[in-house]
Amino acid sequence: MEPASTERLGSGHVGIVVACCLTCGVPAAMILSTAGLFYPIIASDLGVSTAQISAWMSVSMLSSAVLSPIIGNLVARYNIRHFMLLGVILAGLAFFMFSAGTAPWMFWLAGGITGFSLVTCLALLPSVLINRWFCKHVGLIVGICTSFTGIGGVVFLALGQGIIDAYGWRAAYLAFAIIAVVVCVPAIVLFVREWPSDKGFAPYGAASLEASSIQRDNAEAPGDTADSRVLSPKSGRRRVAVALSTSHSVGPVKAPSVGKHRRGQFPGRVSRRRDVSPGHLGARARARALMMTPAFWLLVGSGFFMNLVCQVNGYFPLYVSWLDSQVVYGAMAGSYTTGAVLLGLSQVGNAAGKIGLGAAIDLSPAKALSLLAVSGGLGTVCVWLAPTTPLMAFGGLLFGVFIAGGMVLLPMLVRTVFGSGDEYPLLLSRVSVAPTVGSAVGNILFPVLAESAAGFDAVFILTLASVVMVLFTSIAALAARRKISIRS
């Protein structure tokens, strides 16, 4: 079966998007967005502290950090569909264990299992799968899929509350287990294939990407002859070759025909500066070499600071309470909005930001980073310095746009810097550990600062400094990519 046209969206491409939306919007949303609904109810029922129950989420984050590089290695060797299926099934198992839990340690054990589900259903595999199936609008599609965590959160918060009111929290978690498996397993089986060629398709936008890449190279290096721009017919990558002879002229270089595109087919920009991965090395060897470059560690730093900032919105209710305490002492007027409303506005901004940032980075990494920095910086300033005015609500909305960066912008920055070849899942899985560490640090550091003498002033000063660090490390990583040459 011949591949379909790369300029048209086929049923296979749509199926991939549907499957990724469901894994992000059902099991992942259930894990991340509904946990707070259950904490106090379970703690009261079991007669333990809320902190003992909520600790399962910390275990889940730690599990994700440990499993992400392991899963990144495995998906480079085995079928990605099997891991997505296992992630959904394990999410159902974890919800079943929650429903049967009678002691905190049982919730911690189930939390460790959800770490695998978060990596396979949200943090890593949807980005890898979309990267393989699409060459155009990748950022926008990743943004649309991950925005379903917010949409699913709204749906399952309402559904969960209704079931809890009618039948109790155990029935709610049991219902979540059934829904996750029944909805997602058939979608993965029907729609998910590891590579477009498995269903007779080519990556969407592949031909146009190759043509524009060649035109860009010709424009950037007008003095080069066709001898010095060699296209590998196997991988479609532009390779830098030393011309043995330039005494004759040959016709223009043509893009390879779009056939059964497989691994490493359409990389990001390739530079002529420095080759860190010789052509005969495999994906794992190339990934190890790229992990030693400054660009890799700059992206690690960007991911850490990005998710460090993202933890602040969780303390918006506490911030409003702190503001109200200042009113008692006559230090200021009351806050413009409640903590719950401010938190809700940030979630709305988060959903919109995933789509907006995804679309922006498809146009230009610089545009996306500008949007990220402005939303994070201005949102922080409005919430911090204008708490008695409508600007506080506007700031919460803007801050939510920044929160979307870790889920959408970071995977796309990895793709932009290192390309979309076989090494992409390996590199993304390593970089994805940094946001998890940033999350853990933020959840320890920000409460301590908030309860210190400086209060939330110290929290927001650190937030602004971290936004600056995100912008600096991201721009530096994009600049450092020009010294990297990726070969296969």
Side-chain angles (χ1 to χ4, degrees):
M1 180 177 181
E2 289 300 318
S5 170
T6 59
E7 294 306 313
R8 291 172 47 222
L9 207 61
S11 59
H13 304 96
V14 174
I16 290 295
V17 175
V18 169
C20 290
C21 285
L22 288 175
T23 60
C24 293
V26 182
M30 288 174 172
I31 293 169
L32 294 175
S33 301
T34 68
L37 176 66
F38 289 88
Y39 291 158
I41 300 172
I42 296 173
S44 175
D45 190 37
L46 300 184
V48 298
S49 69
T50 301
Q52 287 179 284
I53 299 300
S54 63
W56 75 256
M57 184 60 75
S58 298
V59 176
S60 179
M61 294 296 104
L62 179 62
S63 172
S64 297
V66 172
L67 291 173
S68 182
I70 297 173
I71 295 172
N73 282 338
L74 293 175
V75 297
R77 301 169 58 190
Y78 302 103
N79 196 315
I80 196 171
R81 180 168 61 161
H82 299 158
F83 290 95
M84 296 188 81
L85 279 171
L86 183 59
V88 170
I89 292 170
L90 287 180
L93 174 63
F95 293 138
F96 178 79
M97 293 173 65
F98 284 151
S99 72
T102 57
W105 68 266
M106 299 177 72
F107 291 86
W108 303 343
L109 180 61
I113 294 174
T114 63
F116 183 94
S117 299
L118 288 177
V119 174
T120 54
C121 295
L122 176 65
L124 179 62
L125 297 196
S127 294
V128 173
L129 199 58
I130 291 168
N131 177 73
R132 291 176 176 179
W133 275 78
F134 293 86
C135 290
K136 289 174 63 178
H137 311 307
V138 176
L140 176 61
I141 295 167
V142 170
I144 290 172
C145 292
T146 54
S147 70
F148 271 74
T149 55
I151 297 170
V154 173
V155 172
F156 292 114
L157 277 172
L159 178 62
Q161 186 65 66
I163 297 175
I164 290 172
D165 292 340
Y167 305 104
W169 64 269
R170 295 185 187 276
Y173 266 133
L174 189 59
F176 281 5
I178 295 171
I179 291 171
V181 173
V182 169
V183 171
C184 292
V185 166
I188 294 172
V189 171
L190 289 174
F191 299 137
V192 173
R193 295 296 183 272
E194 191 172 14
W195 301 98
S197 59
D198 294 339
K199 293 190 74 173
F201 289 94
Y204 174 69
S208 62
L209 178 66
E210 279 298 312
S212 62
S213 296
I214 295 171
Q215 291 172 0
R216 180 183 59 200
D217 278 2
N218 290 340
E220 290 179 349
D224 290 349
T225 66
D227 301 72
S228 62
R229 292 186 301 278
V230 180
L231 290 176
S232 167
K234 179 180 179 181
S235 69
R237 295 187 175 187
R238 301 179 304 283
R239 295 189 177 182
V240 180
V242 178
L244 298 178
S245 172
T246 57
S247 60
H248 63 281
S249 174
V250 297
V253 179
K254 294 183 179 179
S257 60
V258 179
K260 286 196 173 186
H261 299 290
R262 301 289 293 190
R263 293 174 168 83
Q265 196 75 352
F266 299 99
R269 176 172 175 160
V270 178
S271 171
R272 296 176 171 81
R273 292 282 185 92
R274 181 165 60 95
D275 185 4
V276 299
S277 49
H280 66 279
L281 295 181
R284 296 181 69 179
R286 292 196 302 272
R288 283 195 296 268
L290 290 169
M291 287 176 204
M292 303 304 294
T293 62
F296 174 82
W297 291 104
L298 286 165
L299 288 176
V300 168
S302 177
F304 173 85
F305 285 109
M306 207 177 288
N307 229 38
L308 180 70
V309 173
C310 291
Q311 306 315 303
V312 174
N313 81 307
Y315 299 96
F316 279 170
L318 182 62
Y319 170 58
V320 172
S321 298
W322 180 76
L323 291 174
D324 292 341
S325 70
Q326 306 301 305
V327 175
V328 174
Y329 297 106
M332 61 172 293
S335 60
Y336 179 79
T337 184
T338 66
V341 170
L342 189 61
L343 182 59
L345 287 170
S346 70
Q347 294 300 329
V348 172
N350 183 14
K354 287 174 179 176
I355 299 175
L357 287 172
I361 198 168
D362 283 337
L363 296 174
S364 163
K367 287 184 174 66
L369 288 172
S370 298
L371 175 59
L372 185 76
V374 169
S375 61
L378 185 58
T380 301
V381 169
C382 289
V383 171
W384 177 27
L385 300 180
T388 62
T389 72
L391 287 176
M392 182 187 196
F394 179 65
L397 196 66
L398 278 180
F399 195 86
V401 175
F402 184 93
I403 297 172
M407 195 60 64
V408 177
L409 206 57
L410 190 61
M412 291 303 299
L413 286 174
V414 174
R415 187 179 192 270
T416 300
V417 173
F418 296 118
S420 59
D422 270 3
E423 57 273 6
Y424 174 75
L426 301 172
L427 294 167
L428 178 60
S429 65
R430 268 67 171 182
V431 172
S432 295
V433 174
T436 306
V437 176
S439 174
V441 172
N443 282 315
I444 295 172
L445 183 59
F446 288 132
V448 172
L449 290 176
E451 295 173 359
S452 68
F456 272 89
D457 291 336
V459 171
F460 290 125
I461 289 172
L462 177 59
T463 300
L464 288 174
S466 298
V467 170
V468 172
M469 288 301 299
V470 169
L471 185 62
F472 169 76
T473 52
S474 300
I475 291 175
L478 291 172
R481 71 174 174 161
R482 297 189 180 94
K483 299 180 181 179
I484 300 172
S485 176
I486 306 172
R487 296 190 179 190
S488 59

